[in-house]
Amino acid sequence: MGDTSLELLQGTLDVLVLKAVSWGPQHGYGVAELIRMHSGEALKVDEGALYPALHRLERRGWLEAEWGVSENNRRAKFYRLTGEGRAQLRAGTQHWLAYSDAVTRVLRSA
């Protein structure tokens, strides 16, 4: 636990990716940057975890993808949230907040 960056717990990456894409269509690098910035630079999503997550969420129908051109004129796949993805984001957020609250109660108990 000496590392200052936090490891993503299993199961949290999907909800973080859905949240990042809920702010508007994003390419993979943009998703990782939004998560990093909104976490106060505490969470850094590795490409080896991010792209499989994006593809998994797309297969589940929670994201749709379309090819476009990034801000630096490179071809990139842009992801956007579907209606099912928005519902999953709501459910995942509620689940995560309940889980976090339960862990906090245990850690703060005497």
Side-chain angles (χ1 to χ4, degrees):
M1 287 197 152
D3 189 1
T4 57
S5 66
L6 302 174
E7 292 292 323
L8 290 177
L9 297 174
Q10 186 175 1
T12 61
L13 181 56
D14 289 359
V15 76
L16 291 173
V17 169
L18 291 173
K19 181 63 177 181
V21 175
S22 77
W23 294 318
Q26 297 293 326
H27 51 71
Y29 180 77
V31 169
E33 282 298 292
L34 282 171
I35 293 170
R36 183 186 62 77
M37 289 179 352
H38 283 272
S39 71
E41 303 201 16
L43 300 176
K44 294 176 177 72
V45 182
D46 190 44
E47 284 184 20
L50 176 63
Y51 289 98
L54 287 166
H55 296 146
R56 180 175 60 253
L57 297 174
E58 186 179 10
R59 278 193 313 274
R60 289 179 179 167
W62 298 344
L63 294 179
E64 289 182 347
E66 185 176 326
W67 287 100
V69 178
S70 69
E71 55 279 349
N72 60 1
N73 274 343
R74 298 183 82 179
R75 189 167 183 246
K77 207 173 192 184
F78 285 80
Y79 296 88
R80 69 174 188 80
L81 206 55
T82 64
E84 281 186 52
R86 194 165 304 284
Q88 182 59 34
L89 173 59
R90 281 192 299 274
T93 298
Q94 290 306 311
H95 176 79
W96 179 251
L97 292 174
Y99 177 81
S100 174
D101 184 53
V103 170
T104 299
R105 284 194 309 271
V106 170
L107 293 176
R108 289 190 175 160
S109 64

